Amino acid sequence: MKLTYYGHACFMLETKEASILFDPFIKPNQLASHISIEDLKPDYILLTHGHEDHVADAEEIARMSGATIVSNYEIVSWYGAKGLEKLWPMNHGGKHAFDFGTVRYVNAVHSSTLPDGSGGGNPGGFIIEADGKRIYFAGDTALHLDMELIGRYWRPDVAILPIGDNFTMGVEDAIICSDMIDCYDVVGMHFDTFPFIEINKEEAIEAFRSNDKKLSLMKIGESKEV
Ligand code: NI
Ligand code: MN
């Protein structure tokens, strides 16, 4: 599968059957000013939680592309009230087989208010199974013990984890998480977008390396095979 980074917590995962966009926050992100959302043609938009820095461009991209929005029931209903029709609600612990593979909505410890103050349900993450691989997209989350379940039952090949600290896990906790979920190959997200979450990237990569893990910090617009 091909993974492309669009800044902050936004990635596109291209499977054999479908393109899946996570947490689009591109237009308001000055670091991603060279990315134009018109070029994105996802089949699905997966939203971990309701915060502006995860949903900012979702409505516009959904209208342009005809993508199906997948998120928790409250967030999906919020888009339904805006007139969007291609929606798939989930909630924690549930999984669904889509045409490209399986999506499981898992726990995250965070908050989830939508940009207009509406309740965005509880925040989550996703475990995607497609093309013989498992990807854990953690969303914004603290380190929490339910991650042990992921290591015990769903050991992901690749984990996309927040590392920016302050609002989410930082590097130290993301390393502990990668041990709990039994994953070597980590892609970092949710860093450097705002002054609150600026990190030292070389130190982060070295910290993972000294714990026998690999941290990839992709450039915005860069793709890699996963
Ligand atoms: Ni958030
Ligand atoms: Mn966030």
Side-chain angles (χ1 to χ4, degrees):
M1 289 178 279
K2 184 176 159 194
L3 183 72
T4 305
Y5 186 44
Y6 290 117
H8 197 49
C10 182
F11 290 81
M12 183 87 89
L13 182 67
E14 292 172 60
T15 73
K16 286 195 187 99
E17 298 294 331
S19 296
I20 305 159
L21 186 69
F22 295 87
D23 286 1
F25 174 75
I26 296 165
K27 272 189 170 176
N29 183 357
Q30 291 178 2
L31 302 180
S33 57
H34 56 296
I35 307 294
S36 58
I37 63 170
E38 291 76 16
D39 298 338
L40 306 182
K41 307 270 189 264
D43 301 293
Y44 295 89
I45 301 172
L46 270 55
L47 303 176
T48 58
H49 66 292
H51 289 161
E52 173 78 10
D53 61 315
H54 298 258
V55 306
D57 301 316
E59 181 181 354
E60 196 175 348
I61 295 171
R63 289 191 191 283
M64 286 190 298
S65 63
T68 298
I69 292 181
V70 180
S71 189
N72 69 37
Y73 187 83
E74 289 82 359
I75 291 172
V76 160
S77 300
W78 189 71
Y79 284 104
K82 291 171 176 292
L84 291 180
E85 291 177 350
K86 294 180 76 177
L87 302 166
W88 193 274
M90 299 186 73
N91 219 328
H92 300 81
K95 66 179 187 307
H96 178 72
F98 292 88
D99 56 356
F100 60 85
T102 300
V103 175
R104 179 186 291 268
Y105 192 56
V106 296
N107 288 351
V109 174
H110 192 66
S111 53
S112 185
T113 309
L114 285 154
D116 66 356
S118 299
N122 291 309
F126 296 102
I127 298 174
I128 313 295
E129 272 191 76
D131 302 353
K133 290 271 177 74
R134 262 191 213 130
I135 314 283
Y136 172 43
F137 188 87
D140 284 7
T141 184
L143 183 68
H144 61 79
L145 262 178
D146 286 358
M147 290 166 173
E148 293 272 5
L149 292 174
I150 297 174
R152 199 179 302 169
Y153 297 109
W154 306 299
R155 290 179 303 277
D157 298 286
V158 177
I160 303 171
L161 304 179
I163 58 167
D165 220 329
N166 193 71
F167 297 121
T168 66
M169 295 190 287
V171 169
E172 283 174 34
D173 287 1
I175 290 169
I176 297 168
C177 168
S178 67
D179 285 334
M180 289 166 79
I181 64 175
D182 195 15
C183 182
Y184 165 78
D185 198 353
V186 173
V187 177
M189 66 173 168
H190 217 271
F191 62 94
D192 280 1
T193 319
F194 316 112
F196 296 115
I197 57 172
E198 276 172 13
I199 66 163
N200 182 315
K201 292 187 273 298
E202 289 71 32
E203 282 181 16
I205 290 165
E206 183 51 38
F208 272 80
R209 187 182 298 128
S210 63
N211 284 277
D212 299 318
K213 306 278 184 186
K214 182 178 136 198
L215 175 67
S216 302
L217 298 180
M218 299 170 68
K219 292 196 170 57
I220 297 175
E222 183 187 351
S223 299
K224 70 183 217 129
E225 276 302 311
V226 296

